[in-house]
Amino acid sequence: MMVYGNRSKKQTGITFPQMECWSPMTEMATFAADLNGDRIMCRVETEALTGRWPEHAREPMKALAEHRASIQAVARRLIEEERFEDDGSILIRRSDF
């Protein structure tokens, strides 16, 4: 069994607490996922949000708020596919939708 930090790659329960923010430095939305008690940071590229939902180009966090279920479904799939970045986070790109 492979491990990222304390995180076992064998998933059983993925939940999404109500934690999200915008990083003006990286220009990405960030939200949390919990996997078996471990926290995974999920980042969404601006292009993924505004490309998928162009009506939110000026306020990308509105896309996250209005389409949370779709975005979390992508994050869940990437976690289940074990597509972690080197730092253990998940990065959602436009091509992931």
Side-chain angles (χ1 to χ4, degrees):
M1 182 180 329
M2 298 183 74
V3 176
Y4 282 106
N6 293 332
R7 184 172 24 264
S8 165
K9 288 175 69 176
K10 188 169 191 125
Q11 294 84 25
T12 56
I14 301 170
T15 59
F16 296 94
Q18 192 69 19
M19 294 178 61
E20 52 196 43
C21 67
W22 176 256
S23 171
M25 292 189 68
T26 61
E27 295 190 359
M28 289 189 195
T30 302
F31 62 96
D34 283 334
L35 171 62
N36 300 326
D38 290 324
R39 179 73 34 95
I40 300 170
M41 297 315 299
C42 302
R43 296 173 291 133
V44 188
E45 292 182 339
T46 301
E47 184 180 309
L49 293 170
T50 60
R52 179 85 167 134
W53 299 286
E55 67 274 16
H56 297 299
R58 290 183 182 218
E59 297 179 86
M61 287 301 286
K62 281 192 174 185
L64 182 59
E66 290 182 20
H67 303 282
R68 183 173 286 113
S70 296
I71 295 166
Q72 288 175 350
V74 172
R76 180 182 306 279
R77 178 175 50 83
L78 295 176
I79 292 167
E80 290 171 347
E81 292 174 0
E82 301 176 354
R83 290 181 40 197
F84 298 99
E85 298 295 305
D86 290 341
D87 65 359
S89 68
I90 291 294
L91 177 60
I92 300 173
R93 297 170 177 88
R94 187 173 181 180
S95 60
D96 294 319
F97 283 96

